[in-house]
Amino acid sequence: MPVKIVLFAFHNTGFDCLDFLLSCPDYEIPLVVTHQPYSDESVWFESVADRAKQSKVPIIVCGRDNEEKLLRIFSEIQPDIIISVNYRRKISMNAVSMARIGAFNIHDSLLPHYRGFAPSVWALLRGEAETGVTLHEIVEEVDMGPIVAQRALPILPDDTIRELLARIRTTTLDLIRTSLPLLASEQFERIPQTPGTGFFMPRRSVKDDYIDWTGTADSIRNFVRAVAPPIAFARTRLGQHELRIDDAIVEQGSHGQEFALPPGTVLDCLSSSTARVQTIDGTIIICFSPVPGGAEKREHIVLMDVLKPGECLQ
């Protein structure tokens, strides 16, 4: 008899998990729960809702006030397992308690580190050399449940968030494939997380996309790698203008004679879209373009005129 799995899912990894479950006769998907993107979010990823509708799987697009409906459906379904993959809302413990075997979440980090929002972005920002994917039980406190399985993966020196998310997507599906038979047979370990270990990351928004020029050259480069397409882009200000920073290359060697200049000072304009900028511990070459808004060509001409040596980025 197939194991009944209710899937809470969103984004590419949620899409892949649903696609895999639909291909396996050992699992029955009586319900998919998803939600809308953030109101200010650029939708570049695949749709869990569309995939569920395509396969005629019952679906709830979750809002703020439909827990009663969800619990009523759960009482009819009597799920064996709940799986949450990239689902951005907290699942109520009332729903969790209705899964016979248990409720489990996939998180994009090596817990206990980087609990919370956008763990892959934060790992790149902080210059980590490794991250991973964790399968853990869902408990009241977010991302604190006992760990069932983990997969580590490297963060390569030239990775941007695009490359890292692509490898996390592959790793997540691998973790799902290998872990589900253990969950279904109830042959899995639970490794408790120690309270007080790790750290919790807050949700990011556009206001967090501006470069802090008081950081080191390496930290600025990591920022540009992390705050990058397809999810966002790094920004800086020059007076009333905004620049999009597409790449950042740390210059090797000492430029101590320039350290008296304020961080963010433009030293040289190397081309119409590159400049050499002072940081607190060296220099960095930035590749820039106007912030998208419909007048990019005209704005680039303006930037070429105002971005001069001695100007200070903010």
Side-chain angles (χ1 to χ4, degrees):
M1 188 172 180
V3 175
K4 287 188 283 188
I5 299 176
V6 171
L7 180 65
F8 288 71
F10 190 67
H11 219 282
N12 285 337
T13 50
F15 179 96
D16 289 348
C17 183
L18 175 57
D19 205 46
F20 167 68
L21 289 172
L22 290 171
S23 71
C24 295
D26 293 336
Y27 310 119
E28 176 189 347
I29 314 299
L31 179 67
V32 168
V33 184
T34 189
H35 51 68
Q36 298 290 349
Y38 295 132
S39 60
D40 59 349
E41 185 170 17
S42 173
V43 179
W44 54 272
F45 41 83
E46 296 182 274
S47 170
V48 169
D50 288 350
R51 183 68 183 90
K53 290 172 184 175
Q54 179 189 32
S55 296
K56 297 181 171 51
V57 177
I59 182 171
I60 293 178
V61 179
C62 205
R64 297 291 179 187
D65 304 313
N66 57 359
E67 181 177 355
E68 185 177 335
K69 175 184 177 182
L70 186 64
L71 295 179
R72 186 172 65 252
I73 295 173
F74 268 39
S75 67
E76 297 169 359
I77 292 172
Q78 297 187 344
D80 296 307
I81 296 172
I82 291 171
I83 295 287
S84 172
V85 185
N86 225 317
Y87 186 78
R88 295 171 175 170
R89 293 184 176 175
K90 189 173 182 180
I91 302 173
S92 78
M93 295 310 294
N94 288 330
V96 166
S97 67
M98 298 178 76
R100 180 181 63 83
I101 294 173
F104 306 88
N105 178 55
I106 293 279
H107 185 72
D108 297 354
S109 80
L110 292 175
L111 291 176
H113 301 298
Y114 294 99
R115 297 186 183 104
F117 294 93
S120 302
V121 173
W122 282 108
L124 272 174
L125 275 172
R126 292 188 168 191
E128 301 285 4
E130 184 182 61
T131 186
V133 180
T134 301
L135 176 68
H136 67 94
E137 278 196 288
I138 296 174
V139 297
E140 180 65 35
E141 190 173 353
V142 174
D143 298 333
M144 273 297 298
I147 293 169
V148 175
Q150 287 185 319
R151 293 282 187 280
L153 58 94
I155 299 177
L156 304 179
D158 291 326
D159 274 347
T160 68
I161 193 64
R162 184 189 300 275
E163 289 82 25
L164 184 56
L165 288 179
R167 289 208 307 284
I168 285 173
R169 181 176 183 177
T170 301
T171 304
T172 297
L173 184 57
D174 177 64
L175 187 62
I176 286 287
R177 287 178 186 274
T178 56
S179 299
L180 272 177
L182 299 176
L183 298 181
S185 63
E186 303 183 59
Q187 301 296 314
F188 59 93
E189 291 187 76
R190 295 173 170 88
I191 303 172
Q193 296 190 57
T194 304
T197 59
F199 34 82
F200 187 92
M201 311 314 295
R203 183 188 167 192
R204 300 180 60 81
S205 65
V206 172
K207 67 180 175 59
D208 301 305
D209 293 344
Y210 291 89
I211 292 173
D212 177 6
W213 290 103
T214 65
T216 66
D218 283 336
S219 72
I220 291 168
R221 179 175 181 271
N222 288 337
F223 186 94
V224 174
R225 295 165 61 208
V227 184
I231 62 171
F233 53 83
R235 304 165 181 251
T236 191
R237 295 185 179 93
L238 178 64
Q240 64 180 346
H241 304 281
E242 279 203 358
L243 284 69
R244 164 180 170 154
I245 307 303
D246 300 307
D247 197 8
I249 304 166
V250 177
E251 285 198 303
Q252 301 301 316
S254 174
H255 300 277
Q257 72 277 11
E258 294 149 348
F259 285 180
L261 295 172
T265 299
V266 177
L267 302 175
D268 302 294
C269 294
L270 306 177
S271 75
S272 63
S273 58
T274 59
R276 184 165 160 258
V277 181
Q278 182 64 49
T279 71
I280 64 168
D281 66 346
T283 54
I284 192 166
I285 295 173
I286 59 168
C287 301
F288 63 88
S289 57
V291 170
E296 287 87 353
K297 185 174 181 180
R298 179 185 62 78
E299 181 68 2
H300 202 113
I301 294 172
V302 173
L303 290 177
M304 290 167 60
D305 186 49
V306 298
L307 191 67
K308 298 176 180 177
E311 296 287 349
C312 198
L313 301 172
Q314 300 169 328

